[in-house]
Structures are given as structure tokens and as C-alpha cells.
Amino acid sequence: MEIPRDGIGEAGKIVNLSAATEVVVQRVLSGQVVSFTGTLASMTHKAALELVERAGGRGVQALSQGTTLLVIGEEGWALEDDGRASVKLRQALQLVAEGAGIRIVAESDWLQMLGLDERRDEIRRAHTPAMLSRMLNVPVRLIRRWARLGLLRPVRTVGRLPWFDYREAAGARRLAGLLGEGVSAEVIERSLCELSRVLAGTDRSLAQLNLLVHDDQILLRDERGVLNPRT
């Protein structure tokens, strides 16, 4: 089985799964009805649905009582443009409350279930500001500014070069984008609290949100002049 790789790393590269990994993937996904919400960091939704289908499962766009698994992407948080938790996540939580047997997992946990440890490690791997700049399509000076504000915390420093967690940086970009579009911090906070019911790490994003909310009162100066850290 060959699966397109369209997420972080070498986009579009065809990856051959080992025979052992194929067995694990098919054992986990065969007969499952799987849906995805939020942006996946390891591959596109199309590639993920294709993986499910090739392994003997069924990939679906719409949730129902028959859905067995919902995977939450880790390219930023699963938030709509209005700041609310994704429609699919809210639907899944409602269906679970009604007795549906939907399992809700984070993307990295799903990859671990499938034995795709290399892709899981890519999501969790630390990156330099320059690497994050290319991957997230934001200026490297913004990454460094976020670090100075405490929005990003280095997971390690080699010499004078800081290395940052990819998921934390992707989350900061998503939160900053929503605030920049005029979404209220209260709406985002409620959504993050809703996400905390099924995902770990939202406490860190709540701290990022608090810092970003106060960015309007913070001005920094670099070689280009006085700048707002959010934008």
C-alpha cells in the first residue's frame, strides 16, 4: 500500500508502508467509520480518507450514529472562522451524549494507533524559527517576536538557537489569526474549554490567548520600526 504524504515534511512524496505497518493499519481501520475535523498536520484530509478506505474502513464527511472514530487535526486548533469549536466536534459530542459510540482522538494519537510513528514524531518534533516560518507561512521575525512575548517556549536551545514545538506554534498562529479577524477572546476561550474535554494541551493555548489579547497594548521595535506583535 502506498500513501500520499501531503502534510509537514516532503509534500506529495509517496511513502511505502512496511508489511508490519500495513498489518497494523488494516487491523485498526478495517470496518471503522472514520471522519476528520480540523487541519491535519501529517497529511491532507483526502490522503487520510484514502488511507482509511484502502485499509478496509469507510471514510465519511458527515457524522452519524454509525460513525466510530473522529480524528482531530493538530495543525492549529479545530476552530471555525467564527472562533467556535468545529462543527464536527460539536456534532460528535452531541452524538456521544445521545449514546453513540464515537471515539474522539487527537491526530498524533491516531497515528500512534496505526503504527505511523514517523509521522507522529514529525508533528511533535522541535523546529527552528526558520523551519517554522516555512512550514506555517509566517515571517520568521513573527516567530521570534512570539518567543520574546512568551507565546512560544523553546523546548531546547542549542548554542543560541532555540527550537520550538510545532503544534504550539501552529496553535499560536491560529489564535492570532482569529483575533486579527475580530473574533472575541471570550468565544475562543469557550471553544478551547470545549476542546479540553477531548484534547490535552488546551491550557497552554489559553495562556497564549491571554497574551495575544493584551498585544494591542504592546508595541515592539525592530529594524522595521514599531510593530504590533499580533500582526
Side-chain angles (χ1 to χ4, degrees):
M1 183 185 350
E2 293 183 341
I3 300 166
R5 177 182 183 170
D6 301 298
I8 60 178
E10 301 174 46
K13 181 180 179 181
I14 301 299
V15 176
N16 292 316
L17 297 182
S18 68
T21 302
E22 282 189 34
V23 170
V24 174
V25 170
Q26 290 174 358
R27 184 178 70 242
V28 172
L29 294 179
S30 180
Q32 297 292 315
V33 181
V34 187
S35 191
F36 300 87
T37 188
T39 303
L40 298 173
S42 60
M43 63 188 80
T44 62
H45 278 220
K46 179 181 178 180
L49 291 169
E50 193 173 293
L51 170 59
V52 173
E53 296 284 345
R54 291 183 181 184
R58 184 158 64 93
V60 296
Q61 297 291 347
L63 298 183
S64 69
Q65 287 282 349
T67 305
T68 59
L69 185 66
L70 176 65
V71 179
I72 301 178
E74 295 191 56
E75 174 79 35
W77 294 103
L79 301 173
E80 302 289 348
D81 290 341
D82 61 2
R84 300 180 69 192
S86 76
V87 172
K88 282 186 182 180
L89 176 58
R90 284 182 274 132
Q91 289 175 340
L93 292 173
Q94 180 61 40
L95 287 169
V96 169
E98 295 171 358
I102 301 176
R103 183 178 180 186
I104 305 173
V105 299
E107 178 184 358
S108 57
D109 294 330
W110 180 67
L111 294 171
Q112 186 177 37
M113 288 164 52
L114 300 181
L116 299 177
D117 295 325
E118 181 182 349
R119 295 197 181 186
R120 179 176 181 268
D121 291 344
E122 285 178 346
I123 296 176
R124 298 194 166 196
R125 189 172 297 147
H127 299 83
T128 67
M131 294 164 66
L132 288 176
S133 174
R134 292 193 300 271
M135 294 163 66
L136 298 175
N137 194 30
V138 297
V140 68
R141 64 180 182 275
L142 186 57
I143 299 292
R144 292 178 177 140
R145 198 174 308 133
W146 285 350
R148 291 197 296 270
L149 283 173
L151 282 169
L152 302 181
R153 301 174 300 187
V155 295
R156 66 174 181 269
T157 302
V158 180
R160 297 181 61 186
L161 182 64
W163 292 71
F164 300 102
D165 179 83
Y166 173 80
R167 293 176 302 169
E168 185 175 77
R173 180 189 65 172
R174 181 60 173 151
L175 296 178
L178 289 171
L179 289 170
E181 291 298 320
V183 178
S184 75
E186 290 76 15
V187 169
I188 299 173
E189 182 176 355
R190 284 197 299 270
S191 299
L192 290 174
C193 289
E194 194 168 12
L195 281 164
S196 70
R197 295 167 58 184
V198 291
L199 286 182
T202 49
D203 54 340
R204 176 57 185 154
S205 278
L206 286 168
Q208 289 177 319
L209 177 63
N210 184 58
L211 287 167
L212 282 165
V213 166
H214 292 90
D215 276 353
D216 286 336
Q217 281 73 50
I218 302 173
L219 293 177
L220 296 176
R221 181 181 297 277
D222 67 6
E223 69 278 3
R224 296 174 180 267
V226 175
L227 300 167
N228 183 318
R230 184 185 298 172
T231 60

